[in-house]
Amino acid sequence: MGGNSPGERGKHGQGAEDLDQLAALARAALVREIELSGAWAADPVWRESFEAVPRHLFVPYYYVGVMGGYERRWGEHPDPAARERWVRGAYTDTPLAIRLRDGELLSSSSQPSLMAMMLAELKVEDGNRVLEIGAGSGYNAALLAHRLGDDDLVTTIDLDPEITESARRHLAAAGYHPAVVTGDGARGVPERAPFDRIIATCTLPSIPRAWLAQCRPGGRILTPLATGLVVLTVRDAEHAEGRFLSTPAYFVPLRGQGGAAEPTPLGGVPRRARENELFRFLLALTRGSLDPQEAYALWEREGMPQRERYGITVSGDREWAWLDGPEGPYAWPLPS
C-alpha cells in the first residue's frame, strides 16, 4: 500500500532537498490548475491522489519537442538549472514522451488533467478491482493505488517488458506495489479477474471481448476509440454499451492492434469540414463504413453533432457505433 511522503523518496544527488521542495510546490500548482479545469468534477476525491503522488518520480527522464526532433530532460543532469527544468516540466499539464524508438513515440505519460477527467469518469468505488491497459510510466497506476488504498486492487499491463520493468521501478520508488504484468492488453489479465473497472490509456480499433468477460456485470470500461473516449457499462460477458465523453483524446495505439490508419482522401469535402475536429472524429469512427462525402452529408444534416451523441454497442460477435441511439437510423459496424 502506498503512502510514503514525497520528501522521503527520489533523491537526485546534490540539491535533492531543494528539488523535492520545488517538486512539492510545482505539484501543488498543478493540482490547482487541474481543479480550475473542472477535470475531476465528477469525482473530486481524486484531488487527494494528485496531491500525494509525485509525478517526477515516474518521469526520471522525458523528451520535449524542439526544432528538428526531441530534447531529453532528466533528473540526474549535472547542471542544477537543467535539473530544475526537468522538475518543473514534470508538473506541467502536458503529455510527456517517455519512450522513443527510431524517432517513433512508443509510450508517454498522459496530460494530467486528461488523466484526472478519465479517472473521475471511471467512477471508482472503494474496494473496486481495476485493470489498466497500458502501463506507461506507472503514474496512473499509482494514482489508482492511492485512491483505493490497497495496491492489490490495481493491475496494469503492457506488451513491452522494458515499459513494465521501468513502471515497476517507478512505482516502487514512490512506495506503491500494484500488479504490473507484461502481456497483450487486448487479452486482459484473466488470472487477476474479475475487475470492476477497466481503463485503457492507448487507443484500439474495437472493444476486446476479453475485457467484457473479465469485467463484473455492472462494471465500467473507459477506453479511447477513434479520437474520443467511450464509457461502456458491462451487462455480461457478451454485452456492453455506452456513449462518448465530450473530450477529444489522442493516444498511441495498443501495440499488436495495428498502427495509425492511412490518411483519408478528402477531395470534395469543404475545407470547413476537413479542418473541423468533430468531422474528423466522425470519419475516424466510421472508417470503412462511410466515405468522406457520405460522412460530410450526415455531419451537415445532423448539425455537426457533438461527441456525446455517439455511442458504442457490443452484442455477441457484433459491435457497432451509432448516432443518437443503438437502434436509430445511423449505425456503423466496427471491426471485431
Side-chain angles (χ1 to χ4, degrees):
M1 177 174 173
N4 296 341
S5 67
E8 297 171 353
R9 314 172 182 125
K11 301 306 180 186
H12 304 287
Q14 185 178 4
E17 290 184 3
D18 290 341
L19 285 179
D20 283 342
Q21 183 177 16
L22 177 60
L25 292 172
R27 185 161 61 254
L30 175 62
V31 168
R32 288 193 297 272
E33 186 174 355
I34 297 173
E35 183 87 58
L36 290 172
S37 77
W40 51 50
D43 190 1
V45 72
W46 286 102
R47 178 187 179 111
E48 182 182 341
S49 292
F50 280 84
E51 287 175 332
V53 178
R55 190 187 191 203
H56 68 288
L57 294 189
F58 293 87
V59 287
Y61 63 88
Y62 55 86
Y63 303 89
V64 295
V66 295
M67 186 69 70
Y70 288 93
E71 173 188 284
R72 187 174 186 260
R73 295 181 182 174
W74 71 99
E76 298 291 346
H77 198 291
D79 179 4
R83 293 198 298 272
E84 182 174 328
R85 284 195 298 275
W86 160 73
V87 169
R88 291 188 185 279
Y91 290 100
T92 56
D93 189 26
T94 58
L96 297 175
I98 58 174
R99 192 169 295 272
L100 302 173
R101 185 175 295 159
D102 299 327
E104 178 187 1
L105 175 62
L106 297 182
S107 184
S108 64
S109 179
S110 301
Q111 182 177 3
S113 60
L114 179 60
M115 297 171 72
M117 185 275 292
M118 291 173 67
L119 289 168
E121 292 292 346
L122 196 61
K123 299 191 185 304
V124 172
E125 299 176 356
D126 292 348
N128 279 173
R129 298 186 66 83
V130 182
L131 171 63
E132 178 193 27
I133 311 297
S137 68
Y139 180 53
N140 204 52
L143 293 166
L144 282 161
H146 187 90
R147 159 66 181 87
L148 290 165
D150 184 347
D151 291 350
D152 190 56
L153 293 175
V154 180
T155 303
T156 185
I157 182 171
D158 203 287
L159 186 64
D160 191 325
E162 292 183 3
I163 290 176
T164 51
E165 178 55 33
S166 63
R168 193 177 289 112
R169 287 198 307 270
H170 302 159
L171 284 156
Y176 300 97
H177 299 87
V180 181
V181 178
T182 303
D184 183 353
R187 298 179 182 274
V189 186
E191 64 272 22
R192 297 275 297 172
F195 301 102
D196 301 282
R197 302 287 187 269
I198 296 177
I199 182 170
T201 54
C202 46
T203 192
L204 294 88
S206 61
I207 308 300
R209 299 303 188 271
W211 296 2
L212 274 63
Q214 294 171 33
C215 203
R216 288 192 176 98
R220 289 169 72 87
I221 295 173
L222 193 160
T223 182
L225 197 146
T227 62
L229 294 165
V230 66
V231 183
L232 304 175
T233 299
V234 176
R235 193 176 86 197
D236 56 40
E238 294 191 344
H239 299 87
E241 189 169 274
R243 289 183 179 267
F244 282 86
L245 302 175
S246 62
T247 307
Y250 300 87
F251 288 84
V252 295
L254 178 69
R255 271 163 294 156
Q257 298 295 306
E262 292 295 320
T264 301
L266 295 178
V269 175
R271 181 175 178 178
R272 73 183 185 93
R274 292 200 308 266
E275 297 178 352
N276 188 285
E277 207 282 327
L278 287 168
F279 176 69
R280 302 193 71 87
F281 168 67
L282 174 60
L283 278 182
L285 188 61
T286 61
R287 186 178 298 276
S289 299
L290 289 180
D291 67 32
Q293 287 71 35
E294 290 176 310
Y296 173 67
L298 169 63
W299 183 73
E300 189 175 51
R301 184 168 61 247
E302 291 299 318
M304 298 179 285
Q306 300 293 309
R307 276 184 172 76
E308 305 96 305
R309 290 177 60 186
Y310 296 93
I312 301 292
T313 297
V314 181
S315 180
D317 60 357
R318 297 177 58 223
E319 181 176 351
W320 66 96
W322 40 261
L323 176 67
D324 291 337
E327 307 300 332
Y330 303 119
W332 310 278
L334 295 177
S336 58

